[in-house]
Amino acid sequence: MKAWFYSKEPLERRIVIAVGAMIILSLLYLLVWVPVSESYDLKSKQLNSKRELVQWMQKTAARITRLQGGRTAKGASSNHPLLSTVDQTIKRSGLGSSMKRLEPQGNNKVQIWFENAGFDPLVSWLGNLSGQYQISIVTISIEPQGQPGRVNARLVLSRGAS
């Protein structure tokens, strides 16, 4: 190759050197610079996305803390009788037509029977009782009905320690 190179005229040698340099620079650009640049752009986008997620999480955490503070104050100040609170929340949740029986068991417990109630509304209502009114489940029995998503349930609920 050396012999071939030196057998060329000086102008041809310069052209060969220039073309070789252009090929080397093109390969460096395509094999090194482009992948590094694309990787940098991708990592930069991922970093921005994660920063946005962290900001959202911080805002949401602050909101949750604020709401928990409100919930705790509301639940703590709620001096309504347990039976009244349970009855009102059942009606608001749309489970009133499924409730067949509601009876007190002393001052701090209530027993409830539901027939053909929607499972999802029932679970949502129970979560609301627990979260907003600090009413907990003492016992629960749930049996599926013939229709999907429909259940019969028997519950004993209590406010505070059971």
Side-chain angles (χ1 to χ4, degrees):
M1 215 153 137
K2 230 177 183 183
W4 174 84
F5 181 73
Y6 286 114
S7 72
K8 299 294 178 191
E9 295 291 325
L11 180 60
E12 290 175 333
R13 279 189 246 157
R14 284 190 213 126
I15 292 173
V16 169
I17 290 172
V19 169
M22 286 176 44
I23 290 172
I24 290 173
L25 289 175
S26 296
L27 287 173
L28 283 174
Y29 177 77
L30 291 173
L31 297 176
V32 177
W33 183 258
V34 170
V36 168
S37 177
E38 287 175 353
S39 176
Y40 176 79
D41 290 343
L42 177 65
K43 295 297 180 186
S44 179
K45 287 177 185 175
Q46 288 175 343
L47 178 63
N48 288 336
S49 173
K50 291 190 191 264
R51 282 182 179 159
E52 289 173 4
L53 179 61
V54 166
Q55 288 175 347
W56 176 83
M57 291 171 96
Q58 288 171 338
K59 287 178 186 176
T60 303
R63 183 174 178 216
I64 288 170
T65 303
R66 197 172 56 249
L67 290 173
Q68 281 179 336
R71 174 190 56 84
T72 303
K74 182 176 181 182
S77 68
S78 179
N79 291 326
H80 289 92
L82 177 63
L83 185 64
S84 172
T85 302
V86 169
D87 187 46
Q88 290 173 3
T89 58
I90 287 173
K91 290 174 183 170
R92 279 195 305 254
S93 70
L95 291 168
S97 63
S98 299
M99 181 182 67
K100 295 303 171 196
R101 195 164 161 195
L102 173 68
E103 71 182 39
Q105 289 189 338
N107 287 336
N108 67 341
K109 289 185 182 176
V110 173
Q111 188 166 13
I112 311 154
W113 286 264
F114 290 99
E115 288 183 12
N116 200 26
F119 180 76
D120 290 341
L122 181 67
V123 171
S124 178
W125 170 71
L126 289 170
N128 183 39
L129 283 181
S130 175
Q132 194 169 10
Y133 299 98
Q134 289 76 42
I135 296 174
S136 57
I137 301 168
V138 177
T139 61
I140 186 168
S141 172
I142 299 177
E143 299 172 359
Q145 278 296 88
Q147 300 173 345
R150 308 301 288 180
V151 296
N152 289 339
R154 186 174 150 206
L155 309 146
V156 177
L157 304 175
S158 172
R159 179 176 280 148
S162 49

